[in-house]
Amino acid sequence: MNRSSGPRTPGDLPAEATSFVGRRLELAQVSELLTRARLVTLTGPGGVGKTRTAVRAAHEARGAFSSGVRMVELSALRDPELLANTVAAALDLPEQTARPALEVVADHLEDRELLLLLDTCEHLVDACAVLCDELLRAAPRLRIVATSRQPLDVPGEHVLAIGPLGVPEAAAPRDGEECDAVRLFADRASAAVAGFTVGDDNRSDVLALCRRLDGIPLAIELAVSRLRAVSLDEMLTRLDDRFRLLTGGRRTSVPRHQTLRTAIGWSHDLSTEPERLLWARLSVFAGELSLEAAESVCADDRALPVDDVLTSLIALVEKSVVVRVETPEGTRYRMLDTIREYGLERLAASGDEERTRCRHLAYFLDVARAFDEEWTGDSQIPLLRALVRDRANVRVALEYCVTTPRLHGRGLEMATALWGYWHATGLLTEGRYWLRRTLDGCRDETPTRVKALWLTSWYMDIQGERGGNEELLAEAERIAARIEDRIGAAWTLAFQAHRRYFLGRMEGCAADFEEARTRMTALGDDTGLRMLGFYGGLMLILSGEHQRGIDWCDDSLARGAAQPAEQWARSWALWVKSVGLWLRGEHEAAVECARDGLRAKAALHDLMGLAHFLEGLAWHAARLRHFERVALLQGAADALWRRAAKEARFGIPVLHELHGDAAGPARAALGADGYHDAFTEGAGLPLDTVVDLALDDESAAPDVPVPRSGPADGLTPRERQVAALVSEGLTNREIAARLVVSKRTVDSHVEHILTKLGFTSRSQIAALHTDAASRARTGEAPPTRAATPRATAPRAPSAVPKV
């Protein structure tokens, strides 16, 4: 069951929207290079097909990497300081630790066999070179494929130039295989014009056109899109005329970048005036965009009325200028880099760039304001998903603000309004980055500055960087008093107490939280009271005031009851309450809270939150003496802590003690090796599997009696358990379902059992178990290893059957 439907977008390889044509030689070269090189860079001009080739090569190589393949799309990224953060997001690593993002990524990849695809590096070539060099040094089993218009110049880099598709000088034999350029033309033309085929009557014209376009895939696709309006021979004539003009009337070749530019320019000239205007204005967007965004940013009252935007957008999609993208959030659109670059040139030449960028900023500032107003309600998860989709455009808008002095105030407002987005998606480091830059740019003493200051301090607390935020809160306190910002003063007071109790200075914290609560109640600040319920509640519980802390959490939950789809505040209140209930000895109630909160954290894909709840459910498993489950859950939680936080369990002593209280008996029961094996297994489980395991009572005790004497003595508890299930005749897939682990994990256990016992078949495992169980019932002494069923078992292939 997939409960992790939250807002983060992992770096999965994109599905291919159109068929892949040609490149057999290049794909073979990439495959061969990856067997001996750790960095392979595909180079070539824009539009030549570097990305398509790299993605196809990555799809084909996926099976060779046990940790999979991840893709990082960089075309929309403009700030090299955020490169490592972007890679971290693609690897599903939240920024909930203050450690540098590059260090976090390097540690995560250290022991993984993974292929990383960095797409479109040329505008960040220096930063990409540093990143690749650092990661390759830190992670010995990492391989990187990069695409760039120029090499990265990193030691050990192997460069593979991706050229245009092949086009012969003469027509191919009629009974022979078409060249790749003609195959691409035919494939795209049949999709654009029903019934179009390449045959004897048009093959020479198609070849001539592909030859004139130098076999550049993007140029061919742009030309094909015109077949709906222009015949093949007319298209060839018009393109030939354009090249004659370019070369002064000579029939000669031109540089490939100029060939593509000419093809783009021809497509631009054949567009209508509204289409050309939309093309230019769309170029201010980074990454994907919605129709609503296009209408808001690109429309005007005269040249491009809002009602005409959709018509022109559809036309640009049909002309291959804009790419349509289907997402879980609906249809969206994007431009290829080369086409966007052309559009930006036209926009700058028109004198319309500043107005368009201001409309872009205005649109996303409104998005941020609306998010801030609504995100703590029932629309929380859809709003978060939408912002994740718009992450590149949010960055563009913020960058425009911080580089334009008259817009510094808007930048501070936008960065601050997105506080819930930064927090709920785990982007605390990026949130602090934009808050710092906008605070530096705008020194106005406003409520927005007060909020930005205490937000920055709060994020530092969460990330374990608790020594340098006192000045931020002192400034927030001074400004709030000077401008009579009572809400800002209340929040600042709360986070001054928050900072002190995380430093272990508990004196006075309870009084300050109570005072902040009184002020927020008088001001009607419901959001503040919901948050204070769990932040102040945790402090009270850690101070020993368990019931009072639980009451504060209940108040938070009651305030959010009218918005049952809100998950962020509710889940934190449930976690704090579960800790309080556990410490009061109300274990069943604590577990009920923990399971409810775990579902909410899974929906948000909040890794730090999931780790907290898994820890709590491990305490429960220890109380029930389900010790292997303890180790599995603690291993899974530890893996999440390492991905999400600077220190496990927030560094809180009580939580460390509870962890040890569960781990100690589990180690004693399983043995050091048995605990370690189960802990390691838990750390490697897929997140959905871990959530299912934690929520499933039946899986808490899949205790299958396995004889512990005789030849099986050398097996771990999990291996004995698997052996017992093999003896019942279960397949590896059925065993995986019974134990709530992956089939690959069971495959590995069966292989280890065979190796340790010197067996060659599953039937020998079953015979051993049956014989040992019989002897255990009769009290007969176990046989020696020499007398085990291996001597009489039938011969079987040495490979473990994949079931």
Side-chain angles (χ1 to χ4, degrees):
M1 178 178 180
N2 184 2
R3 297 181 178 85
S4 301
S5 55
R8 289 188 74 87
T9 302
D12 290 336
L13 294 176
E16 293 180 321
T18 55
S19 60
F20 187 86
V21 176
R23 303 297 191 192
R24 283 178 294 183
L25 175 61
E26 291 90 340
L27 291 172
Q29 290 175 317
V30 173
S31 177
E32 190 276 330
L33 282 172
L34 284 174
T35 65
R36 55 187 176 87
R38 300 188 56 215
L39 171 61
V40 178
T41 303
L42 309 188
T43 62
V48 81
K50 300 184 295 294
T51 297
R52 285 297 302 267
T53 303
V55 170
R56 171 53 68 98
H59 272 294
E60 294 183 355
R62 187 191 295 270
F65 295 88
S66 59
S67 298
V69 179
R70 306 299 276 180
M71 180 174 180
V72 189
E73 299 181 79
L74 300 175
S75 61
L77 179 65
R78 290 292 174 264
D79 190 337
E81 286 193 49
L82 295 175
L83 174 60
N85 305 73
T86 304
V87 176
L91 293 170
D92 204 15
L93 300 174
E95 300 169 7
Q96 292 169 310
T97 170
R99 296 167 61 206
L102 181 55
E103 182 181 316
V104 173
V105 171
D107 284 354
H108 176 73
L109 295 174
E110 182 179 10
D111 57 355
R112 283 173 167 79
E113 185 180 37
L114 182 136
L115 176 62
L116 188 66
L117 172 51
L118 299 178
D119 184 43
T120 314
C121 299
E122 58 268 7
H123 61 301
L124 302 166
V125 65
D126 291 337
C128 286
V130 172
L131 177 105
C132 289
D133 191 41
E134 291 289 335
L135 294 184
L136 291 172
R137 291 176 188 273
R141 297 195 294 167
L142 174 69
R143 297 287 188 275
I144 299 175
V145 171
T147 71
S148 176
R149 295 181 190 179
Q150 67 183 89
L152 302 185
D153 196 23
V154 174
E157 177 185 30
H158 282 61
V159 177
L160 178 61
I162 302 298
L165 297 173
V167 187
E169 286 300 318
R174 293 179 184 178
D175 58 348
E177 184 179 351
E178 300 283 11
C179 67
D180 286 343
V182 171
R183 289 177 58 218
L184 176 66
F185 187 100
D187 181 84
R188 303 302 190 257
S190 65
V193 179
F196 183 93
T197 59
V198 175
D200 294 343
D201 59 334
N202 63 4
R203 181 178 284 103
S204 60
D205 285 344
V206 171
L207 270 169
L209 183 65
C210 292
R211 195 177 300 120
R212 173 47 88 186
L213 294 174
D214 260 341
I216 298 173
L218 178 56
I220 293 172
E221 297 210 24
L222 288 170
V224 166
S225 69
R226 295 298 174 177
L227 280 176
R228 299 185 185 94
V230 181
S231 67
L232 183 58
D233 58 346
E234 186 180 2
M235 184 191 303
L236 183 58
T237 299
R238 291 193 179 194
L239 267 177
D240 205 43
D241 288 343
R242 290 186 69 89
F243 280 103
R244 284 176 181 273
L245 181 64
L246 181 67
T247 59
R250 300 183 303 277
R251 291 190 61 86
T252 185
S253 62
V254 294
R256 281 172 181 156
H257 74 274
Q258 194 62 56
T259 297
L260 179 59
R261 185 175 180 82
T262 300
I264 294 173
W266 181 63
S267 187
H268 182 268
D269 290 349
L270 290 180
S271 300
T272 66
E273 183 56 34
E275 292 165 9
R276 289 197 290 266
L277 187 57
L278 181 60
W279 181 339
R281 291 176 178 175
L282 286 174
S283 64
V284 301
F285 286 91
E288 298 174 2
L289 63 135
S290 65
L291 173 60
E292 178 189 353
E295 290 175 334
S296 180
V297 173
C298 301
D300 60 38
D301 293 334
R302 295 179 293 105
L304 187 60
V306 67
D307 291 342
D308 292 347
V309 171
L310 178 58
T311 302
S312 297
L313 186 59
I314 291 172
L316 291 178
V317 171
E318 291 176 344
K319 295 177 172 72
S320 297
V321 172
V322 172
V323 178
R324 183 169 136 176
V325 183
E326 296 301 330
T327 76
E329 289 70 52
T331 301
R332 293 171 67 85
Y333 304 90
R334 65 179 176 83
M335 275 183 166
L336 297 179
D337 289 348
T338 309
I339 291 176
R340 180 186 291 112
E341 290 164 7
Y342 187 90
L344 280 172
E345 290 178 11
R346 306 298 296 191
L347 186 64
S350 71
D352 193 33
E353 182 174 5
E354 184 177 358
R355 286 190 297 273
T356 305
R357 290 198 179 279
C358 284
R359 288 196 298 269
H360 180 276
L361 168 61
Y363 176 80
F364 286 102
L365 180 56
D366 283 346
V367 167
R369 288 168 175 159
F371 174 83
D372 196 18
E373 288 289 327
E374 302 173 21
W375 88 277
T376 54
D378 280 337
S379 57
Q380 182 175 85
I381 288 182
L383 285 170
L384 287 167
R385 285 177 178 158
L387 267 177
V388 167
R389 283 282 177 188
D390 281 326
R391 184 179 185 182
N393 283 300
V394 166
R395 285 174 168 176
V396 166
L398 285 167
E399 185 66 31
Y400 185 53
C401 288
V402 298
T403 55
T404 308
R406 63 184 176 81
L407 298 175
H408 285 171
R410 290 193 179 186
L412 182 61
E413 180 187 358
M414 186 172 181
T416 304
L418 292 170
W419 71 272
Y421 163 67
W422 306 128
H423 199 312
T425 57
L427 296 174
L428 298 182
T429 300
E430 181 165 350
R432 283 177 60 187
Y433 172 80
W434 290 115
L435 287 167
R436 174 181 58 78
R437 291 189 69 186
T438 54
L439 279 167
D440 289 345
C442 180
R443 311 294 302 185
D444 298 345
E445 294 189 347
T446 63
T448 301
R449 182 171 184 83
V450 172
K451 185 174 182 178
L453 288 165
W454 62 251
L455 277 172
T456 304
S457 173
W458 179 24
Y459 292 173
M460 292 172 71
D461 279 346
I462 296 169
Q463 293 187 301
E465 201 171 296
R466 298 169 188 141
N469 51 354
E470 187 172 8
E471 291 182 3
L472 298 172
L473 292 170
E475 182 184 351
E477 183 180 21
R478 287 195 303 270
I479 295 173
R482 190 174 299 133
I483 65 175
E484 298 184 355
D485 175 16
R486 293 188 296 162
I487 288 181
W491 283 79
T492 300
L493 178 63
F495 282 105
Q496 285 172 329
H498 182 273
R499 173 181 176 274
R500 292 202 308 276
Y501 88 66
F502 265 115
L503 288 171
R505 292 154 43 188
M506 308 293 287
E507 185 177 353
C509 288
D512 283 352
F513 273 122
E514 191 65 67
E515 173 63 20
R517 193 181 191 205
T518 300
R519 294 186 193 180
M520 290 178 181
T521 301
L523 294 166
D525 187 355
D526 192 64
T527 298
L529 289 167
R530 286 172 70 179
M531 288 178 51
L532 201 61
F534 54 84
Y535 275 111
L538 178 61
M539 186 279 305
L540 291 168
I541 288 168
L542 296 179
S543 301
E545 296 188 61
H546 300 153
Q547 187 56 55
R548 190 176 170 206
I550 291 168
D551 290 343
W552 279 40
C553 290
D554 282 338
D555 179 73
S556 178
L557 292 167
R559 291 177 183 278
Q563 296 90 30
E566 192 281 330
Q567 306 286 12
W568 180 78
R570 177 173 166 273
S571 59
W572 281 120
L574 286 168
W575 175 69
V576 175
K577 182 179 179 180
S578 73
V579 174
L581 289 168
W582 188 269
L583 292 173
R584 277 176 56 88
E586 299 179 39
H587 298 131
E588 294 303 323
V591 170
E592 184 179 349
C593 275
R595 289 191 175 129
D596 194 7
L598 184 69
R599 294 184 186 95
K601 289 302 185 189
L604 285 168
H605 199 71
D606 180 348
L607 302 189
M608 182 184 287
L610 286 169
H612 279 304
F613 282 112
L614 293 175
E615 286 277 357
L617 291 169
W619 310 338
H620 178 57
R623 180 169 169 269
L624 298 178
R625 302 186 60 79
H626 298 156
F627 294 124
E628 187 166 15
R629 178 179 166 89
V630 172
L632 285 166
L633 292 175
Q634 289 189 332
D638 181 73
L640 295 176
W641 285 121
R642 285 186 280 111
R643 288 167 66 182
K646 181 177 182 179
E647 51 188 341
R649 296 170 285 281
F650 278 153
I652 297 173
V654 171
L655 300 183
H656 287 312
E657 289 173 15
L658 290 169
H659 173 87
D661 289 345
R667 283 195 184 91
L670 300 174
D673 289 344
Y675 177 86
H676 176 269
D677 288 346
F679 186 95
T680 302
E681 181 179 342
L685 290 175
L687 193 56
D688 286 347
T689 302
V690 171
V691 172
D692 283 335
L693 171 66
L695 293 174
D696 187 356
D697 273 334
E698 294 302 317
S699 66
D703 293 330
V704 180
V706 182
R708 292 176 178 262
S709 60
D713 274 347
L715 303 183
T716 67
R718 177 62 104 186
E719 288 167 351
R720 289 194 293 270
Q721 195 174 65
V722 170
L725 294 172
V726 168
S727 74
E728 293 181 14
L730 273 64
T731 66
N732 287 9
R733 191 174 301 281
E734 290 167 339
I735 295 171
R738 175 81 66 88
L739 300 180
V740 198
V741 298
S742 68
K743 178 179 173 296
R744 186 170 63 184
T745 297
V746 176
D747 292 340
S748 176
H749 282 316
V750 173
E751 289 175 0
H752 290 162
I753 293 167
L754 291 170
T755 300
K756 287 181 178 181
L757 299 181
F759 290 170
T760 57
S761 75
R762 295 166 66 90
S763 61
Q764 292 171 286
I765 298 174
L768 173 64
H769 181 272
T770 302
D771 180 66
S774 173
R775 291 176 185 277
R777 286 193 299 270
T778 63
E780 184 179 345
T784 64
R785 175 64 57 91
T788 63
R790 182 171 188 253
T792 57
R795 295 182 60 84
S798 58
V800 180
K802 300 298 182 184
V803 184

